[in-house]
Amino acid sequence: MKNTTRRLLAAALLAAAAHAQADDTFRPGALWPDDKGVHINAHGGGLLEHDGVYYWFGEHKVAGEAGNVAQVGVHVYSSRNLTDWHDDGIALAVTDDPASDIVRGAIIERPKVIRNPRTGKFVMWFHLELKGHRYDAARAGVAVADKVTGPYVYQGSFRPDAGAWPVDVTPADKDPATSTLARDHAGGQMARDMTLFVDDDGTAYDIYASEENHTMHVSRLTPDYLRSAGQYARMMPNGDDEAPAIFKHGGKYYLVTSGLTGWAPNAAKSYVADHILGPWKALGNPVRGTPEQQKITFGGQSTYALTLERNGCTRHILMFDVWRKMDAIDGRYVWLPVEWEGDKPVVRWRDRWTLADLDKLPCDGPKG
Ligand code: GAL
């Protein structure tokens, strides 16, 4: 093939890829081209709506297995319709300063951004692991920006809730001989897979896999959203949960998680609570479909739940990552609408769907 023909063909393919997405259609698991025709690079992501625009923040991965560590930073995209995404570039960049926590080669996972109405700042939290120390540090990293797309300025990292006991602590939890919680009491609790949640009253929470990933914590943030406030609860003690995605419906809190199998998919779990600090009650696997789909959650792992108010109805979209461990940049996104089975949120596979399909679902979730 001549070079010009090859170039024309490449341009036509790019245009076709971009066009494929420009029809308001979600295609779970497919390549998802941005406005430049490039597969969206925002893994372990989270969304923020600001002034009518959605912003998608996620891990920028590169090719190969080494692409799972941070080589670039946190990528941000924007959209008005949730299917067509504009590339807004790198919101938080790694540095080349070996003394920085976020030096290239550190691990920056599951970034989530919220806006603080009191300070007007955009606040990003993420799971941070220090370069060369695998997953041992288990820290929460925080970065702040004046503009939603950044640049975000790194504020530091820590283990949450140092010196504080959870609101639901038991005498056994305080025994350092047997309890990870007690072991980490002075230095702060381990914080790996995480998400953020802002409640209706503006109080924000960090939800993260703690205690060697065996017990998830929900931890209130300080009013500026920059630190943990020292008030927290153990959500599902020894539940072996990670990959939290949380949403509120009818006054109750719903949580979807995964089990602990690293990049390999496993069965999702779901929970409900009347109060965010618990107690949390198990609702079982939220995946509906074949036994295989239920066993591996369509090949995905939860990362975020987006809530939309549409035509007087509260809707939720659950977002999952299909990780590609050996070629991190090729990881896929599975977004599915939440349906209700009585008071249980469930998801079903769809090859393609639109927000119009979401609007056709019964508006009958549980009432508060
Ligand atoms: C998963 C976790 C991912 C990443 C991975 C590393 O369980 O959800 O965010 O940390 O392990 O193996």
Side-chain angles (χ1 to χ4, degrees):
M1 225 186 315
K2 276 211 194 106
N3 270 347
T4 7
T5 324
R6 205 177 281 141
R7 263 200 303 275
L8 279 176
L9 193 62
L13 281 174
L14 261 185
H19 179 76
Q21 203 57 47
D23 58 2
D24 295 346
T25 302
F26 297 95
R27 292 180 174 78
L31 284 172
W32 194 337
D34 65 11
D35 60 336
K36 295 179 193 153
V38 177
H39 180 47
I40 290 173
N41 199 340
H43 309 267
L47 294 200
L48 172 71
E49 196 246 303
H50 181 63
D51 287 346
V53 178
Y54 294 95
Y55 295 88
W56 177 354
F57 297 85
E59 305 159 26
H60 179 107
K61 305 231 187 209
V62 302
E65 193 176 4
N68 287 305
V69 305
Q71 311 280 2
V72 175
V74 175
H75 209 130
V76 58
Y77 296 82
S78 57
S79 173
R80 286 188 180 272
N81 66 359
L82 294 171
T83 51
D84 302 316
W85 291 91
H86 169 72
D87 181 359
D88 288 291
I90 301 303
L92 173 70
V94 297
T95 78
D96 285 312
D97 172 4
S100 167
D101 292 349
I102 58 163
V103 62
R104 202 181 306 276
I107 292 175
I108 296 177
E109 287 181 356
R110 298 179 178 268
K112 304 288 179 285
V113 175
I114 54 181
R115 181 178 176 274
N116 189 305
R118 292 184 197 87
T119 63
K121 304 270 187 202
F122 296 91
V123 184
M124 177 190 290
W125 283 57
F126 51 90
H127 166 199
L128 173 80
E129 297 291 349
L130 303 175
K131 183 178 177 181
H133 295 267
R134 296 171 310 180
Y135 280 84
D136 296 342
R139 294 171 82 81
V142 178
V144 167
D146 292 323
K147 211 175 129 233
V148 58
T149 51
Y152 283 76
V153 179
Y154 181 61
Q155 306 290 300
S157 75
F158 52 89
R159 282 190 169 185
D161 295 317
W165 292 112
V167 294
D168 46 5
V169 71
T170 65
D173 294 337
K174 293 190 172 178
D175 180 357
T178 53
S179 154
T180 313
L181 186 86
R183 181 196 71 187
D184 294 339
H185 177 253
Q189 298 297 321
M190 299 177 87
R192 293 205 181 107
D193 280 10
M194 53 76 62
T195 193
L196 298 179
F197 178 74
V198 182
D199 212 339
D200 303 329
D201 64 359
T203 309
Y205 298 86
D206 181 22
I207 292 154
Y208 53 89
S210 195
E211 302 180 41
E212 306 289 353
N213 286 359
H214 294 307
T215 298
M216 209 166 252
H217 291 181
V218 50
S219 168
R220 186 164 63 79
L221 304 191
T222 49
D224 59 11
Y225 296 175
L226 299 181
R227 301 285 297 189
S228 53
Q231 185 192 29
Y232 69 109
R234 302 175 79 216
M235 300 177 88
M236 291 74 64
N238 300 309
D240 287 351
D241 292 277
E242 61 179 11
I246 187 171
F247 59 95
K248 196 171 182 180
H249 192 104
K252 290 184 196 289
Y253 302 85
Y254 293 87
L255 178 74
V256 173
T257 68
S258 75
L260 314 177
T261 53
W263 300 115
N266 56 51
K269 302 180 255 183
S270 63
Y271 303 88
V272 63
D274 290 331
H275 304 282
I276 195 163
L277 294 180
W280 289 83
K281 185 182 114 193
L283 292 177
N285 189 333
V287 171
R288 293 291 173 269
T290 65
E292 183 63 10
Q293 286 175 328
Q294 296 203 300
K295 203 168 125 198
I296 59 164
T297 313
F298 315 116
Q301 188 183 29
S302 39
T303 184
Y304 193 74
L306 174 69
T307 295
L308 304 173
E309 297 297 334
R310 293 178 64 85
N311 311 321
C313 195
T314 305
R315 308 290 194 178
H316 313 278
I317 296 174
L318 264 174
M319 297 165 46
F320 302 84
D321 289 289
V322 177
W323 305 114
R324 294 270 159 94
K325 181 186 174 198
M326 302 311 286
D327 191 16
I329 196 173
D330 193 36
R332 306 298 172 88
Y333 313 101
V334 169
W335 291 19
L336 293 169
V338 168
E339 301 175 47
W340 292 96
E341 261 177 21
D343 61 356
K344 283 186 197 187
V346 299
V347 282
R348 289 189 173 75
W349 180 258
R350 292 159 187 258
D351 288 331
R352 41 190 294 155
W353 62 280
T354 64
L355 291 178
D357 297 328
L358 181 76
D359 292 337
K360 283 183 219 137
L361 292 171
C363 182
D364 65 355
K367 304 286 176 287

